[in-house]
Amino acid sequence: MSDKEQYLDWAHEVLRIEAESLNEISAALNGDFIRAAEAILHCNGRVVVTGMGKSGHIGRKIAATLASTGTPAFFVHPAEAAHGDLGMIVDGDVVIAISNSGESDEIIAIIPALKRKNITFISITAKPHSTMARHADIHITAAVSHEACPFGLAPTSSTTAVMALGDALAVVLLKAREFTPDDFALSHPAGSLGKRLLLRVADIMHGGEDLPAVVSGTLLKDAIIHMSEKGLGMLAVVDEEGRLKGIFTDGDLRRLFQQHDHFGGFKVDDIMHVSPKTIAADKLATEALKQMQQSHINGLLVVDESNLLLGALNMHDMLKARIV
């Protein structure tokens, strides 16, 4: 066996051990997990996560996941807490303290101060009889049989297990709160997901002077010129009051050239489609994309409840807004 093949064997062994650790944590879940989830769900304040070293890194990730899924949360370093940051923790908060041994000096040092506040103290350790576990209002045991580290020294399986436990808490709370994709997007407005979920048709449609539309009865020659000027590959046909009557597209124009040598006497009404696909301005842009894809079209007209034309958008607008 080559050295490179040995690398894969070692990697597979690590992943196997860590996967087994997750199964151990799952099998050990009990009423303490339920009590912790209920305490967080009914918390009137925030969730404050704390931990030292590797547990601190995991704690930061857990706090971030909770915060992005509907549970207000942040991380406080226990050493900094002892030097003033305890003021960030107020009555009504839930504190989650993480330590594999349950004997973290920095966390134990701030327990008396925490106990003087009206908070719920949740500890996550591998030792149900540790100092942290004994002082906790709720203790969740996160014990694994083996670290993936062959010496049993570097936190590996244990940190993976606690991170997964934090994910379990976050998702359980997400479901209990009936948290929606729209809620998620509100916490991620700058990301592509936020843009996809928050943008409405009204945000990206062409309206006003940019709207490609002519009144019924317009000569086809003039309609074609107007459609070309707007550059959306389609033209709405409306009545005198602005209500939608039909649509004429560049595809219709190509077919017209194929079928007729002369069309000087045509009006746009003669070749328009009288049942164009439409969408409301308050619909999500993702819904417009779905409708275009299902109907195999490149554009949509936007109307209100009385069929008054408000705007138009095409697939290029979707690409520009990074919806696709």
Side-chain angles (χ1 to χ4, degrees):
M1 179 183 297
S2 68
D3 288 343
K4 291 183 180 180
E5 290 174 332
Q6 184 69 64
Y7 294 161
L8 288 179
D9 280 349
W10 291 337
H12 289 149
E13 178 69 5
V14 169
L15 296 176
R16 181 189 64 78
I17 293 172
E18 297 212 359
E20 290 176 355
S21 298
L22 294 181
N23 289 330
E24 286 185 82
I25 292 291
S26 178
L29 289 179
N30 55 26
D32 293 327
F33 180 90
I34 297 172
R35 290 173 59 211
E38 286 285 311
I40 297 171
L41 182 64
H42 299 297
C43 170
N44 294 321
R46 298 80 42 86
V47 175
V48 183
V49 186
T50 189
M52 277 297 297
K54 302 296 189 298
S55 293
H57 297 315
I58 299 303
R60 284 185 173 86
K61 193 275 180 185
I62 291 174
T65 302
L66 287 169
S68 69
T69 53
T71 299
F74 61 93
F75 177 84
V76 170
H77 193 285
E80 296 295 336
H83 292 275
D85 282 2
L86 268 176
M88 300 168 69
I89 304 171
V90 299
D91 289 353
D93 287 348
V94 170
V95 175
I96 300 176
I98 305 169
S99 168
N100 188 52
S101 68
E103 302 295 343
S104 168
D105 291 337
E106 293 82 0
I107 294 177
I108 292 172
I110 63 174
I111 288 178
L114 289 173
K115 286 293 187 175
R116 286 196 290 270
K117 297 175 182 284
N118 184 24
I119 57 100
T120 300
F121 182 49
I122 299 172
S123 66
I124 300 176
T125 81
K127 310 291 184 181
H129 302 294
S130 62
T131 302
M132 285 173 54
R134 287 189 286 106
H135 286 289
D137 298 304
I138 303 168
H139 176 258
I140 300 176
T141 301
V144 299
S145 299
H146 305 285
E147 295 286 7
C149 167
F151 309 116
L153 298 175
T156 45
S157 302
S158 57
T159 48
T160 298
V162 173
M163 182 178 291
L165 189 60
D167 288 342
L169 267 175
V171 174
V172 164
L173 292 164
L174 176 152
K175 292 183 176 181
R177 297 184 196 281
E178 298 182 348
F179 195 76
T180 68
D182 281 353
D183 296 325
F184 188 88
L186 289 172
S187 299
H188 302 74
S192 59
L193 177 62
K195 292 178 180 178
R196 289 180 56 199
L197 294 177
L198 292 178
L199 277 180
R200 304 282 172 175
V201 168
D203 297 323
I204 61 174
M205 73 181 188
H206 299 266
E209 294 296 322
D210 296 325
L211 182 57
V214 295
V215 178
S216 174
T218 298
L219 287 175
L220 181 58
K221 175 184 175 182
D222 295 331
I224 292 172
I225 293 172
H226 190 77
M227 181 173 69
S228 177
E229 289 174 345
K230 300 305 179 182
L232 292 183
M234 60 182 169
L235 183 72
V237 182
V238 299
D239 63 18
E240 293 291 343
E241 296 178 341
R243 290 183 175 83
L244 184 63
K245 292 190 63 177
I247 190 172
F248 174 60
T249 69
D250 54 3
D252 296 323
L253 180 60
R254 287 192 296 272
R255 285 185 287 274
L256 183 68
F257 280 123
Q258 291 172 351
Q259 297 170 6
H260 300 275
D261 294 326
H262 305 284
F263 46 87
F266 281 108
K267 294 182 178 179
V268 70
D269 306 62
D270 298 326
I271 57 173
M272 71 180 185
H273 295 284
V274 295
S275 299
K277 300 293 183 182
T278 63
I279 193 166
D282 62 350
K283 293 292 186 181
L284 291 171
T286 50
E287 294 180 71
L289 174 63
K290 181 179 179 181
Q291 188 172 335
M292 280 190 256
Q293 290 174 331
Q294 290 179 340
S295 300
H296 303 289
I297 56 177
N298 291 319
L300 279 173
L301 297 174
V302 186
V303 297
D304 65 10
E305 60 276 1
S306 62
N307 210 37
L308 189 70
L309 183 67
L310 301 177
L313 71 162
N314 63 14
M315 194 62 73
H316 179 73
D317 298 316
M318 296 293 181
L319 290 167
K320 187 176 179 181
R322 299 182 181 179
I323 304 300
V324 179

